[in-house]
Amino acid sequence: MRAKVRALLGVLLMAAGGFASASVGQAEEPAPCPAATVSAQWQAQPEGSAPGPPRKYRIPVTVTAPAGCTANGTVRYRVVDGKAHGVFPEFSADNGSDYGADPSMPLMGELSWKGSLETQYVDVAVNQDFLPEQNEAFWLELFEPSGLVVAEDRVPNAVNDDDGKPPPDAVVVAPDGKICWKYCEVPVYGFGFGGAQAAANGSQTMTVHYRTVEGPGGPVGYVPVRDAVLTLRAGQPLTKAKVQLLPIDREVKFEIEFFEPAGGKLGMRRTVVTIKPWR
C-alpha cells in the first residue's frame, strides 16, 4: 500500500513540475510588438537659382519601434500649399507656380514598411528661379495609417529664397489642427534664417510671443496662457508652445495666437488646437 502511495505522489510531483515548466516557458515568451510610430520630418531647403528642370526636395519620413521590433504597415501622404493650413498667402508655396511641376514626383501616394525601420522619402519638385521673393512653405501630411501610428501628421517644409539682396526675413509657422491628450505641445518652426543670411539681416535669433484664445464658454480643459515667449535660433529653429491641460469629459477647441515677433515675421497668426477627453 505504501509503495502505491509513494508511486502516486511521484506521478503528482512530476505533473506539477511539468505544469511549472510550462508556466515558466509561457512567461518567457516575448510580448508582441506594438505598432511602430511614423513621423514626417520638417525640412528647410534653398529654392535654387539654376536654370533648367525643377530641383528635387527630399522630405524624410521615419518610423520608430521598441528594441527588437520593426515596422509593418502603410501610410498615405499628400503635399498641400502653405495657405491650406493658415500660412499667410505671401509666405505660401503654391502648387504649380512654386512646386509640383514634375509628374515623376507625385504629390500624393503611399509609403510602406515590411519588417524594417528604414527612413523613406517623399520627393517634391521645387521650381528654381532668379526672382527675389519671400521665404515660403508647403505642408506634408500623413493620413490613413494601417499597422502604424502617426506621431507627427503635418509638418511645414520651407523653401528658402536664395536670390534676394538683402535676404528676406525669417518666418515662423505652426501646424494647424493639433490634437492633444493630457499635455499639449504645439511645434513652432522658424525658417529662412541662419548662416550668411542671418548675418546679413541681423536675425540670428528670433522671438515670438504666444497666448491662448478662449471660445465663448471661456477656458475649459486647459490653463490659459496670457503671454509667453518662444525663442528660435539659427541651428535650432524648432521649439514648442506649451499649454497645461486639465481633465475633461468632452472635446474642446481653442486657439493659440502668435504676436510681437522680433527678428523675423509671422507666417501665420493663429492655430487651432483640439483637446480630446481624458482623466
Side-chain angles (χ1 to χ4, degrees):
M1 182 67 179
R2 291 180 179 177
K4 291 183 178 180
V5 171
R6 284 196 296 268
L8 180 59
L9 288 173
V11 171
L12 292 174
L13 288 172
M14 290 178 62
F19 291 143
S21 298
S23 299
V24 171
Q26 291 175 358
E28 291 177 350
E29 291 182 3
C33 287
T37 59
V38 58
S39 301
Q41 305 298 318
W42 86 288
Q43 297 287 292
Q45 300 181 23
E47 176 187 59
S49 300
R55 189 178 68 81
K56 181 186 292 186
Y57 188 121
R58 306 209 80 184
I59 307 170
V61 179
T62 60
V63 287
T64 57
C69 297
T70 57
N72 289 278
T74 62
V75 67
R76 292 181 57 76
Y77 73 85
R78 60 180 164 233
V79 178
V80 299
D81 296 352
K83 61 177 178 286
H85 296 299
V87 175
F88 295 147
E90 61 265 34
F91 302 117
S92 174
D94 298 332
N95 184 9
S97 59
D98 298 307
Y99 70 90
D102 188 340
S104 69
M105 303 182 215
L107 300 179
M108 181 178 290
E110 184 176 87
L111 304 174
S112 65
W113 287 263
K114 296 181 179 180
S116 77
L117 293 174
E118 292 184 3
T119 297
Q120 299 201 37
Y121 297 88
V122 173
D123 292 333
V124 179
V126 171
N127 299 337
Q128 303 184 80
D129 61 43
F130 297 99
L131 301 175
E133 55 191 334
Q134 293 286 355
N135 297 310
E136 299 169 334
F138 58 85
W139 299 93
L140 174 65
E141 300 178 337
L142 301 181
F143 63 103
E144 293 183 6
S146 176
L148 302 171
V149 176
V150 176
E152 290 294 339
D153 63 342
R154 182 183 300 159
V155 295
N157 289 274
V159 180
N160 291 338
D161 181 72
D162 49 7
D163 304 308
K165 295 181 180 181
D169 292 310
V171 181
V172 62
V173 299
D176 192 36
K178 180 72 174 178
I179 297 176
C180 296
W181 295 267
K182 295 188 179 181
Y183 64 93
C184 196
E185 296 182 347
V186 178
V188 179
Y189 304 87
F191 61 87
F193 66 99
Q197 179 165 307
N201 62 17
S203 60
Q204 285 282 357
T205 299
M206 178 179 179
T207 60
V208 62
H209 294 244
Y210 76 93
R211 59 191 167 213
T212 53
V213 179
E214 295 80 33
V220 177
Y222 64 95
V223 177
V225 176
R226 301 306 181 192
D227 188 350
V229 181
L230 300 173
T231 300
L232 301 106
R233 297 180 176 86
Q236 191 179 357
L238 169 62
T239 187
K240 294 182 179 180
K242 299 180 180 181
V243 180
Q244 181 182 347
L245 301 187
L246 303 172
I248 54 173
D249 56 7
R250 61 185 176 87
E251 186 175 292
V252 173
K253 293 182 183 290
F254 66 94
E255 292 182 319
I256 292 179
E257 181 178 48
F258 301 100
F259 61 102
E260 292 184 10
K265 293 183 178 180
L266 295 179
M268 60 193 302
R269 187 166 299 279
R270 291 188 177 188
T271 181
V272 177
V273 177
T274 300
I275 311 173
K276 294 290 187 178
W278 66 278
R279 288 194 178 278

